[in-house]
Amino acid sequence: MKQLIKNKIKLFLIKKSPIIILVVLFFVIIIGIGEMISKIPFVGGGLKDAELEEMKKEIGEKIGVINYDKVKKYIQMEEESHPENRNAKILVYEETRNNKESQFLEPSNIDSYNSTENTILKIGDMTKQYRLWWQFLGGIDVITTTSTKINDTSVIDAVNKNLSPIFEYTFDINNTNDFTYYQTEYSSEYTVTKIYENGSHKKTERKQKNITKKVPLPYIKKVSTMFEDINFDYDKITIEKSDWNLVDNYTKKRHKYKKSNNGSYVRVNGRYVKRNSSNKTKQQGEKLVSRDRYRKVEVREEISKYVRTKTEGYNIRRKSEKNTRYDEFMANHNLGEKLIEEDKEIILHTSALFPESYEFAYNANKYLGHNSKLLVNGGYEGTGEYKVLDMETKFILPIKFDENVNEKKINISCPFGPGTLTMNGVTKYRFHHGMDFPVKTGTPIIASAKGKIEDTGYGGVEGNFVIIKHDDGFITKYYHLNMIMCTEKQEVDEGDIIGLSGSTGYSTGPHLHFGVVNPGGEYEDPMIYLPLVKDDDD
């Protein structure tokens, strides 16, 4: 019942949307109405059919100015405006050598792989940010007064036809067996086995196993969105490389038997047993013959395993320029007058009320050229092994906490310094030039100190990133963002929101990588400059 009351409150707000329509431009309608609808559980499958029918009896078939079933059409069009993730194959090349080699296994032929592994080609994740937003479809439908007419899809069909993203790929989207770009993961395991018999060294065996995996990359060549045309270039880089590291050192003991004239063992029924008067001979035909004699040898193997890895990928460069697709559509449908300058601030604050509209609001504000600081509700819930102290340090923790959190705490999933990284079942040794904070996707990321945005963009390793240069020459880096919410050369104050956390780039899961570079150009441990202390109570 409580949930039903909450839903009715939300629906009451939505029913007031005609008043909003008269006051604000259509972007506000898109963000305001669209997102309020997205919060209704039954739209996302949160309510059972019986509960849905109960609600419909009380409030009718329409939510203000939008029909339930129309919303489903908007969402379906959004989902169909970009490709889905699909299955693909990792190519695996393997060889074994008897000596230690200095080179990794470099496949001479792309078709000469030994085996394959299943993987998910994340083309849907890569293209999703360019999709045709369903909130946009809803806003246009409202403005053209066709939003309540379930059978009239002429307007949204026109939007879909004229403003859907147009993709050009670096591979055949219908054939996921042939790619231009691969992330290449090299690994070598070198094993040294020293063999001793009854304490005496007999021989040393050396074996090197080389494995190379080519992971297909679903890279885009070009994309045309409703606002801009973007071209992508890819520069090959070494993501990480490690020298030989001793990973295992152990001893194995066993026994074997060797023929010996004085041996005290014989072989009976496939087993070696102590020789005695009853088993020293065996029947062979019509006569007894002596069994072969064996001596027992203790074999000790001292085994040392060394591993080294290298990963090669690509740094992504993008060049964008504004196109006229959106302007032409607005002009052709006489909707241009809806964009009035005074309403930009309303877009800003309205989008802040509905967290799921961050991405759409960001792009809308980007198009309008609005550079004001975005207000974001919500934040990190404040749990973890490290306390955030209320004290003055060089940098503040670059994560915005929820305003209802009383005691701020955070987890650190990977500290600064040497360590390992495991991806796709392969453990790699590397030096970590920062600190990782595991926070859910969409957590607001803030500037750790006052400064100027030096660079933003996307890298194969970094994902979406922001780099801030501070007044004293220090630089801070923020990697793997789901969305960037600042622009190059923008001045930011301590605590300003610069993006939302995510898992883009070379990432094992949603987190923020925070790096600190001193004025001399050297990476330093961020822990030195942050107000963090291990919580002894945990």
Side-chain angles (χ1 to χ4, degrees), residues 290-464:
S290 297
R291 293 181 187 271
D292 292 332
R293 299 175 68 172
Y294 297 85
R295 63 185 176 90
K296 188 176 183 180
V297 179
E298 182 185 77
V299 180
R300 187 176 83 255
E301 296 179 353
E302 295 180 353
I303 302 170
S304 299
K305 286 188 178 181
Y306 302 83
V307 170
R308 61 173 180 166
T309 60
K310 182 173 75 168
T311 302
E312 292 179 344
Y314 293 87
N315 187 49
I316 302 175
R317 290 184 290 112
R318 49 177 283 167
K319 182 179 180 182
S320 64
E321 51 184 47
K322 184 181 178 300
N323 62 32
T324 59
R325 295 178 65 192
Y326 169 79
D327 296 316
E328 290 172 359
F329 180 85
M330 294 293 287
N332 291 339
H333 291 80
N334 299 316
L335 299 173
E337 67 274 10
K338 299 292 182 180
L339 292 176
I340 52 178
E341 189 73 21
E342 292 78 3
D343 289 322
K344 287 182 182 179
E345 196 68 24
I346 301 178
I347 295 177
L348 186 68
H349 292 293
T350 305
S351 64
L353 297 175
F354 308 104
E356 288 78 7
S357 270
Y358 291 152
E359 185 177 4
F360 177 75
Y362 167 71
N363 282 277
N365 282 304
K366 179 179 178 182
Y367 169 77
L368 293 172
H370 188 79
N371 293 319
S372 298
K373 298 162 188 173
L374 290 176
L375 305 175
V376 181
N377 287 345
Y380 187 63
E381 64 272 16
T383 59
E385 296 181 351
Y386 289 82
K387 287 183 179 180
V388 183
L389 302 178
D390 186 13
M391 60 182 293
E392 189 170 327
T393 51
K394 184 171 188 62
F395 297 118
I396 64 171
L397 187 71
I399 295 167
K400 181 180 182 292
F401 283 81
D402 189 278
E403 60 184 10
N404 296 318
V405 172
N406 295 321
E407 185 177 24
K408 297 179 180 179
K409 294 183 180 182
I410 194 75
N411 279 318
I412 298 173
S413 56
C414 186
F416 180 89
T420 61
L421 174 67
T422 300
M423 289 191 72
N424 298 322
V426 178
T427 299
K428 300 171 182 179
Y429 296 83
R430 53 85 188 259
F431 191 95
H432 191 224
H433 293 93
M435 180 178 288
D436 289 350
F437 299 102
V439 291
K440 65 183 180 182
T441 297
T443 300
I445 303 304
I446 58 179
S448 58
K450 182 180 180 181
K452 179 184 285 188
I453 305 297
E454 185 173 75
D455 194 14
T456 67
Y458 183 91
V461 178
E462 304 90 343
N464 292 321

Side-chain angles (χ1 to χ4, degrees), residues 181-195:
Y181 296 99
Y182 292 86
Q183 178 171 291
T184 308
E185 300 175 351
Y186 304 93
S187 64
S188 295
E189 181 181 275
Y190 178 56
T191 305
V192 180
T193 305
K194 294 180 180 180
I195 301 173

Side-chain angles (χ1 to χ4, degrees), residues 42 61 80 171 178 207 521:
F42 67 80
E61 289 289 330
E80 293 174 350
F171 63 99
D178 188 17
K207 183 174 70 174

Side-chain angles (χ1 to χ4, degrees), residues 134-394:
W134 77 265
Q135 296 98 324
F136 178 82
L137 291 165
I140 293 291
D141 215 17
V142 168
I143 289 173
T144 53
T145 68
T146 56
S147 59
T148 60
K149 302 172 184 177
I150 185 59
N151 294 320
D152 187 349
T153 61
S154 58
V155 174
I156 55 177
D157 286 342
V159 175
N160 191 30
K161 178 180 179 181
N162 293 284
L163 297 182
S164 282
I166 302 170
F167 297 101
E168 185 176 339
Y169 306 97
T170 60
F171 63 99
D172 185 349
I173 190 69
N174 297 313
N175 178 14
T176 54
N177 294 318
D178 188 17
F179 292 85
T180 303
Y181 296 99
Y182 292 86
Q183 178 171 291
T184 308
E185 300 175 351
Y186 304 93
S187 64
S188 295
E189 181 181 275
Y190 178 56
T191 305
V192 180
T193 305
K194 294 180 180 180
I195 301 173
Y196 298 83
E197 293 184 1
N198 290 336
S200 176
H201 179 257
K202 286 297 183 180
K203 63 178 179 178
T204 299
E205 295 178 349
R206 294 176 172 85
K207 183 174 70 174
Q208 180 172 321
K209 184 178 180 181
N210 296 319
I211 297 177
T212 297
K213 295 184 179 183
K214 298 186 80 68
V215 183
L217 297 173
Y219 283 164
I220 306 168
K221 186 182 293 184
K222 298 177 182 177
V223 59
S224 176
T225 70
M226 68 173 73
F227 295 146
E228 58 186 348
D229 295 329
I230 308 169
N231 290 278
F232 298 87
D233 289 311
Y234 303 93
D235 300 322
K236 194 168 186 177
I237 60 171
T238 298
I239 296 175
E240 65 84 29
K241 184 177 181 179
S242 70
D243 293 325
W244 290 106
N245 290 279
L246 178 64
V247 296
D248 208 352
N249 198 8
Y250 60 96
T251 299
K252 288 170 59 177
K253 291 183 179 181
R254 58 185 175 86
H255 292 94
K256 70 178 185 179
Y257 296 85
K258 287 188 173 182
K259 282 186 179 182
S260 171
N261 292 332
N262 300 317
S264 56
Y265 288 83
V266 292
R267 188 175 175 87
V268 180
N269 297 326
R271 297 177 58 199
Y272 295 97
V273 296
K274 278 283 188 178
R275 184 175 181 270
N276 56 43
S277 59
S278 64
N279 64 21
K280 66 180 182 180
T281 60
K282 64 180 179 178
Q283 190 75 33
Q284 188 171 321
E286 296 182 356
K287 58 181 179 178
L288 290 174
V289 297
S290 297
R291 293 181 187 271
D292 292 332
R293 299 175 68 172
Y294 297 85
R295 63 185 176 90
K296 188 176 183 180
V297 179
E298 182 185 77
V299 180
R300 187 176 83 255
E301 296 179 353
E302 295 180 353
I303 302 170
S304 299
K305 286 188 178 181
Y306 302 83
V307 170
R308 61 173 180 166
T309 60
K310 182 173 75 168
T311 302
E312 292 179 344
Y314 293 87
N315 187 49
I316 302 175
R317 290 184 290 112
R318 49 177 283 167
K319 182 179 180 182
S320 64
E321 51 184 47
K322 184 181 178 300
N323 62 32
T324 59
R325 295 178 65 192
Y326 169 79
D327 296 316
E328 290 172 359
F329 180 85
M330 294 293 287
N332 291 339
H333 291 80
N334 299 316
L335 299 173
E337 67 274 10
K338 299 292 182 180
L339 292 176
I340 52 178
E341 189 73 21
E342 292 78 3
D343 289 322
K344 287 182 182 179
E345 196 68 24
I346 301 178
I347 295 177
L348 186 68
H349 292 293
T350 305
S351 64
L353 297 175
F354 308 104
E356 288 78 7
S357 270
Y358 291 152
E359 185 177 4
F360 177 75
Y362 167 71
N363 282 277
N365 282 304
K366 179 179 178 182
Y367 169 77
L368 293 172
H370 188 79
N371 293 319
S372 298
K373 298 162 188 173
L374 290 176
L375 305 175
V376 181
N377 287 345
Y380 187 63
E381 64 272 16
T383 59
E385 296 181 351
Y386 289 82
K387 287 183 179 180
V388 183
L389 302 178
D390 186 13
M391 60 182 293
E392 189 170 327
T393 51
K394 184 171 188 62

Side-chain angles (χ1 to χ4, degrees), residues 129 318 456-459 461-466 478-484 500 504-505:
Q129 60 182 308
R318 49 177 283 167
T456 67
Y458 183 91
V461 178
E462 304 90 343
N464 292 321
F465 67 85
V466 172
Y478 312 76
Y479 290 172
H480 310 300
L481 303 178
N482 186 54
M483 183 170 65
I484 298 168
L500 302 177
T504 57

